[in-house]
Amino acid sequence: MRNILVLGATGSIGSQTLNVISKNADELNLIGISLYDDLTELPQILKKFPNLKYVWALHPDAKKYPQVTFVNSLEELASLPCDLVVCAIVGFAAFKPLVSAIKTKHNVALANKECLVAAGDYLNALVKKNKVSIYPIDSEHSALYQCLKGEDIKSVKRLIITASGGPFRDKKLSELKNVTVAEAIHHPTWKMGPKISIDSATLVNKGLEVMEAHYLFNLPYAKISVVIQKESIVHSLVEFVDGSIKAQLGVPNMEVPIQYALFSGEHHLKTDAYLDFNKPLDLHFMPIDEKRFKAVKLAYEAGEKGLSYPLVFNSSNEVAVQSFREGEMAFCDIVPVIEKCLAKHTPCKVSSYTDIIRVDEEARELALSIIKEAKK
Ligand code: NDP
Ligand code: MG
């Protein structure tokens, strides 16, 4: 039996992770979860997982739930004894518990990409020092992980990350001016949380994923490319030096990469997600139009420059997405805010925990001031 802690259990990835755990109840045991500001799902979760003992929530309610222990912080939850921590909190808010999990020598199934982008070198050094493994949940990175398995990294010509292109792939740039939050959240092939859905619509998500791949697989940006794959069936590909290409395919169902990560990179039954080859299957690949989707180009530039650039890319995007969701700015201004932040900030090394926290705060202030200025 493997004891699992799930950080961000009420989210899109979190709830699908709980599904996977309950389908594999003979092998996986949920012992702790984090919620955020809403406890309404807790009774149902407790009913489904009687062994669940530890909970972190912003507003704990110990009297109502005497059967569980409310821990004092996310870091404390992430450091409890277990066999695997699933990190499915959205955004940089996952950084402190992620660090805590790794420092406790826990292996991590990682859905959160923002922390890896913001602090990739720091986290990689920590992973190495503590001799733990990171199993990617992000579908593209799970695909790359699978394609790279058993291969010599030196024989890799490039990683090819697929992108659906998001809900506005075929819209003219001029049509994006009055996009609403509801339209931006409506993804054509994946059902996800609001922040990543908006990131997919701006293609910032693909930019984050390029940097995520760089840190996960330790390859230079020149060996990472992006291609549009309309149907979200081919989850990513690896091209080798001899021109041979390996791809990972499957229906767009996050339970597949989640389960693969929960079993430390092994295939298991019980996901019910099969491609039907009795029907015609069309696969369309297209190059990405960098003019339309500047976010990907900006991500490559930020990644290549290194230092605090990737972190600022992430922090400014988080602020811009939040402002868009609150009706404070237009959808088409999200990427320009990132661009301005990257240009205006003073680059610096972000090698320590405190550097990372400080530069993230500064970048958020800068992004807010840019948004405020634009409104004048
Ligand atoms: P959701 O918004 O659906 O869920 C996020 C989870 O984090 C919820 O449990 C939420 O609680 C919790 N949370 C939010 N803010 C905080 C905070 N400040 N402190 C602690 N907990 C918090 O996100 P997703 O599940 O869509 O995404 C999670 C991560 O996985 C993201 O980094 C995303 O990029 C990545 N990912 C997601 C995919 C998907 O299909 N959804 C695919 C690949 C990667 P509450 O419900 O109370 O708000
Ligand atoms: Mg992805």
Side-chain angles (χ1 to χ4, degrees):
M1 197 57 104
R2 311 188 70 200
N3 292 330
I4 315 279
L5 290 170
V6 179
L7 310 178
T10 47
S12 160
I13 293 290
S15 55
Q16 292 177 88
T17 302
L18 298 199
N19 283 346
V20 171
I21 295 175
S22 73
K23 284 181 189 172
N24 290 279
D26 50 339
E27 291 178 80
L28 304 176
N29 185 31
L30 184 68
I31 57 158
I33 59 167
S34 79
L35 310 154
Y36 191 47
D37 55 355
D38 184 0
L39 291 180
T40 47
E41 286 180 37
L42 189 55
Q44 260 179 308
I45 297 177
L46 288 171
K47 212 171 151 192
K48 214 166 160 188
F49 299 96
N51 295 336
L52 178 52
K53 289 275 178 302
Y54 303 100
V55 176
W56 178 84
L58 205 53
H59 310 294
D61 192 348
K63 272 196 194 132
K64 202 169 165 195
Y65 303 100
Q67 68 273 51
V68 295
T69 302
F70 282 94
V71 297
N72 292 321
S73 67
L74 277 167
E75 288 102 304
E76 186 184 340
L77 181 71
S79 69
L80 292 173
C82 70
D83 297 301
L84 184 80
V85 174
V86 179
C87 184
I89 290 174
V90 62
F92 188 69
F95 182 62
K96 290 180 182 176
L98 180 58
V99 168
S100 164
I102 299 170
K103 282 191 171 170
T104 316
K105 303 193 187 299
H106 288 328
N107 290 330
V108 177
L110 186 66
N112 178 289
K113 58 193 87 181
E114 293 91 342
C115 293
L116 208 49
V117 169
D121 288 328
Y122 172 80
L123 289 171
N124 275 344
L126 211 59
V127 162
K128 202 170 165 194
K129 187 175 166 203
N130 289 284
K131 298 188 178 69
V132 298
S133 298
I134 301 281
Y135 301 105
I137 284 181
D138 208 351
S139 57
E140 295 78 2
H141 304 75
S142 175
L144 293 170
Y145 183 98
Q146 294 178 51
C147 293
L148 288 168
K149 219 173 186 178
E151 299 290 353
D152 182 351
I153 199 82
K154 287 195 221 87
S155 64
V156 173
K157 184 160 179 266
R158 60 179 174 143
L159 309 179
I160 305 167
I161 300 176
T162 54
S164 70
F168 308 135
R169 182 186 58 210
D170 303 320
K171 273 195 191 254
K172 287 191 197 130
L173 273 182
S174 58
E175 289 177 292
L176 298 184
K177 281 218 167 91
N178 300 317
V179 159
T180 65
V181 174
E183 285 168 328
I185 285 177
H186 185 76
H187 194 273
T189 46
W190 296 98
K191 208 174 169 303
M192 310 179 286
K195 192 257 176 184
I196 186 178
S197 297
I198 295 169
D199 287 349
S200 299
T202 53
L203 258 78
V204 164
N205 183 50
K206 222 31 69 176
L208 292 171
E209 289 185 354
V210 166
M211 294 189 264
E212 183 186 8
H214 166 76
Y215 290 116
L216 279 174
F217 304 111
N218 199 17
L219 282 169
Y221 287 96
K223 287 191 172 188
I224 304 173
S225 55
V226 177
V227 68
I228 302 257
Q229 205 291 292
K230 273 189 179 181
E231 294 80 10
S232 301
I233 296 285
V234 180
H235 299 308
S236 277
L237 314 90
V238 175
E239 185 175 43
F240 296 90
V241 285
D242 57 358
S244 171
I245 293 180
K246 268 166 94 174
Q248 191 262 344
L249 283 75
V251 292
N253 178 340
M254 285 308 295
E255 286 195 14
V256 179
I258 291 170
Q259 183 177 273
Y260 187 76
L262 259 54
F263 284 99
S264 313
E266 276 178 20
H267 298 288
H268 238 72
L269 202 63
K270 297 180 188 162
T271 48
D272 262 349
Y274 303 104
L275 258 187
D276 183 1
F277 286 103
N278 290 315
K279 292 190 218 148
L281 175 64
D282 290 326
L283 296 174
H284 297 87
F285 291 90
M286 291 188 305
I288 198 156
D289 180 349
E290 284 188 349
K291 266 200 202 127
R292 274 176 59 86
F293 295 114
K294 214 174 172 192
V296 178
K297 189 168 174 270
L298 283 176
Y300 271 101
E301 285 169 6
E304 294 273 13
K305 284 185 187 162
L307 298 169
S308 45
Y309 284 98
L311 188 153
V312 170
F313 181 100
N314 179 66
S315 319
S316 55
N317 177 57
E318 287 194 26
V319 171
V321 169
Q322 190 55 32
S323 296
F324 168 60
R325 286 176 70 186
E326 288 166 2
E328 294 294 319
M329 57 178 263
F331 172 80
C332 54
D333 289 334
I334 295 175
V335 176
V337 167
I338 303 174
E339 188 173 15
K340 282 183 195 144
C341 258
L342 289 168
K344 272 195 167 181
H345 99 285
T346 312
C348 59
K349 279 192 179 165
V350 278
S351 15
S352 72
Y353 186 82
T354 43
D355 284 349
I356 292 161
I357 304 280
R358 176 182 51 81
V359 179
D360 173 66
E361 280 169 9
E362 287 170 4
R364 280 166 200 271
E365 276 168 30
L366 179 61
L368 280 173
S369 70
I370 287 169
I371 293 167
K372 214 167 150 191
E373 191 63 30
K375 276 173 82 177
K376 276 185 190 163

